[in-house]
Amino acid sequence: MDAVEKANAERQKRWVKDQKIGEGTYAVVYRGREASSGRQVAIKKIKVGLFKDGLDMSAIREVKYLRELKHQNIIELLDVFSSKTNLNLVLEFLESDLERVIKDRSLVFLPADIKSWMAMTFRGLEFCHRNWILHRDLKPNNLLIASDGQLKIADFGLARDFADPGYKMTCQVITRCVCAAVGYSRDSDINHGWYRPPELLFGSRYYSTAVDIWSVGCIFAELMLRTPYLAGESDMDQLNTIFRALGSPTEQDWPGHTKLPDYVPIGHFTRAPLRDLFTAASVDALNLLTQCLIYEPKKRITAKDALSHAYFFAPPYPSHPSKLPKTSPPVNTTQPLDEIDGNTLSGKNNRKRKLSSSTDETKTRSAVARRLDFTKTTPGS
Amino acid sequence: MAANRMNFLQGKTVRKVVAGGHSRSSSTPQLSSTSTTIYGGGVKDPSGRITEYSSEDDQCPVCKSDKYLEKKLRLLVSSCYHKMCESCIDRLFTLGPAPCPICNKVLRKLAFTPQTFEDLGVEKEIAIRRRIAKEFNKHLEDFPSLREFNDYLEEVEDITFNLINDIDVVGTEARIAKNREANAAIIRENARKEAQYALTLQQTEENERKERELRAEELRREEEEERHARESGKREIIDRLERADGKNASKVIRETRKARAEREAGKKGGPTQGALMRARVAATATVAAKDVPHVPFQDDYYAYQDRYLLQPVYVDPVSEAVRQDREGIMRAGGYKVEEAWERALRFAVAGLDLAPLGDTIDKGGDVIMSTA
C-alpha cells in the first residue's frame, strides 16, 4: 500500500455510509455520517467505468469548484475519497430544496420570505462570480435548503470558470459546453431550458455572469407566482415564451443579437407590463426582477449590484432563515437523487418535473398564485 | 323676542334665528354652542379631519370685520402667528413685504397659511416641530450608543422648546445652522430614506387595496357559480323525474343529492388561503429569531479594490478578436474582455495579505478561498 492509498483509506474511515437514499444514472447517493461526530452527510458515489472516457465530467467539475468555494450559501464538499473503483463525494446533508418548497401548497410565502431566499441566492452567487465561476444551471431544485433554513447553491456539474485570460481555448471549451448544455436540455431534462437566458438560446459562445442572473430572475418570478415563470416546451418554444412575456428584443434593446450563431427571427411581440402578472409585488421587487431579465447581458444587473438593490433594504426585513416556511420531512426516504444534491441527469427527475407541468396542475397552481398575498408583512418585523 | 333682546343687551352672543318657519319651537335664544368651538367648523377632508379651521366667532383683529357680517371671512395665519383676514392681507402686502400690523415683523403675502388648529400655540408648535424634525433626522443607527442618541434627542427637545417659547432665538438658530452644516450628508440621506419609506407604505397600501378587490371579485364569482350549480342541480332533478316512472322517483332524488354532496365535498378540500396564512404567522411568532436588516456583503472582499488599477486597454493579442468586434457579434453574449484582465490582476494581488502557510491550508493540504 503506497502513501496515496494509505491517505485514501484514512479518509474513507472518517465516514460511515448508512442507507441508500437515491440513485441516478451517474451516481448513487447514501445518507451517511461522520464516524467521529455523528454529523449527517450525503455521500455521493460516482459510478466510474460506466463511460468510455472515464469519469463523468460533472463529477470532475463538482469536485474542482466545490473544493474552492466555502460559503454559507454554497453546499459544502466535506471530503472526496475513492473506494474500489468508485469516486465518493462527501457533501453536506440538506433536507429540502426550493422546488419542493415552492410546490408545497400548504406553505404560504410572505414577501419577507421571498426576500430572504433571494438575498441568500444572490449572496451565494456573488461568491461564485467573485471567484470567477459560472454556475450555469441555477434552478429551484438546485437551491437546497438546510434544516436551519439557509439556502445553499448546489450542483456544480455544469459550472466552469470564466474570463480565463488564455481564452482562445476557453471559447472552444465554452462552445463545447454550451453544446453539451443544449443537448442536455434537449435530451434529458426538458425543464432546464426554463431558466436559460436568451443569449444561450441563440447560441452565444462568449458569455458571462449575466447567464446566472437571468436564471435567478426566473426563480424570483417563480417564487412570487408559485408556478414556473417562463416555461417553454423546447428551445424554440422557450424563446417564444420569453418574447411573449417580455416583448421581442429590438436591435436597440440588445445590440448584435441578430448576429448570434443560432439567431432565428421569432414573431413580433410587444412587451406587457410586468405589473399585470405580479399584481401584489412591490415596486422595488418588480424593478429588481426587470433588471434581472434585461435582454442585453451587459446591462443585466450583477450579483454584486443586486445585493445592494433597494428591494433588499425596503421594509419588510428579509425573514430570518429559521422562520422560513419548510416542507415537512419526506415520508418516503427513497426520494430521487436531486433532493440530496440536485446533481442528477436521471430520467426519474425529469419525469417528475414533466408531470408537474401537465395542464391541470398548472391551472390549479396559477389559480392559487393569484390569490397569494404578497403585501402582508411579517408581524414584528 | 324680548328675552332675546335682553340677552343681547347682557353681552351674550346670540345666534341669529332665521325668521319664519325654521325657528325652533322654543323661543329661548340659542347661545353660540361651545361645541362649534371645540369641534370647530371649517373645511374637512373626506375622512372628517379638519384641514382648515374656522369658527363662527372669527374676527379679523386688524379690520375687526367678523363672520357675522362677512360670511366669506377667511383668516390666514402669518409666520409670526397672527391672524388676519384675506382682504387685509391683500390690502397690506400686495405691494411687497410690509410690517405686521400687530407685532411689526416684516411679512410677505405668500407666507400666510391657512389655520389648522384652533389654538395658534399648537399651530406654531407643530410648524416648529415639523421643521426641527427635518433638520434633526438622525436615527439610533447613526450613533455609537443609546446614551448618545438620548443626549441628541434631549438637545433636539431643548432647541424645540426654545423656539416655541421664543427663548434665545438667535442662539438657537445658530445651533440649528451648526448642526445642519455638520451633518449635511446624513440629513440628506435620512430624508431620502424617509421619503422612500413613505412611498413604499403608500404603494403597499395601494397594492393591498387592489388585492382585496381581486379577492372580493373572486369570492363573488365563486358564489355566483355555486348558485348556478345549485339551480342546474334542481333543474336536473326535475328533468330526470319527468323522464323516470313513478317507482324510481325517490331513487332519482337520492342519487342526485348524493352527487351534489360529493361535488361540494370535493370543492371544500384543503384549508383556505386565509387559514394557511394564519398558521404561517402563528408558526413564525413562536420562533425567537428576529428579522434583521439586509447586509449586502458579509465580508470585506470589496474593501481591497485599491490594490490594483484596471487600465482601459492592454496589449493583449489574444483578446484582439473580441475587441475588434465592431458588429458586436461576440459582445451580444455579454462577454467582457475587461473581466479577463481584472481576473489576472486579482490573482496577482490576491495573496499579498496572506502570511505564507497560515491556517488557510486545510487538513487535506488544499488552499481554500474562504469568506473570512
Side-chain angles (χ1 to χ4, degrees), chain B residues 239-307:
Chain B
D239 284 353
R240 288 176 71 174
L241 279 177
E242 249 176 28
R243 271 181 270 117
D245 47 14
K247 275 183 214 158
N248 281 340
S250 57
K251 194 180 154 201
V252 166
I253 292 179
R254 218 172 31 239
E255 272 177 5
T256 330
R257 286 224 175 110
K258 205 175 132 204
R260 197 168 74 203
E262 269 169 19
R263 246 198 332 265
E264 264 163 27
K267 211 186 282 170
K268 288 214 178 85
T272 63
Q273 201 66 25
L276 284 173
M277 182 66 87
R278 278 193 296 280
R280 165 83 176 82
V281 167
T284 52
T286 57
V287 182
K290 248 191 128 33
D291 295 341
V292 289
H294 173 72
V295 181
F297 305 106
Q298 290 167 335
D299 53 27
D300 55 0
Y301 180 78
Y302 291 103
Y304 293 93
Q305 261 167 343
D306 56 350
R307 288 294 155 89

Side-chain angles (χ1 to χ4, degrees), chain B residues 197-256:
Chain B
Y197 181 71
L199 193 72
T200 321
L201 276 190
Q202 196 189 339
Q203 279 157 354
T204 318
E205 227 164 78
E206 173 72 5
N207 287 342
E208 256 168 27
R209 192 183 54 75
K210 271 194 203 145
E211 202 63 11
R212 266 200 304 278
E213 271 171 21
L214 267 177
R215 225 171 299 152
E217 167 76 13
E218 200 152 301
L219 204 67
R220 226 188 47 231
R221 213 177 39 236
E222 264 169 27
E223 265 168 21
E224 178 71 18
E225 267 167 23
E226 204 171 302
R227 197 180 52 81
H228 197 74
R230 237 185 350 254
E231 266 170 23
S232 67
K234 272 186 202 156
R235 218 172 304 125
E236 197 189 327
I237 295 185
I238 293 171
D239 284 353
R240 288 176 71 174
L241 279 177
E242 249 176 28
R243 271 181 270 117
D245 47 14
K247 275 183 214 158
N248 281 340
S250 57
K251 194 180 154 201
V252 166
I253 292 179
R254 218 172 31 239
E255 272 177 5
T256 330

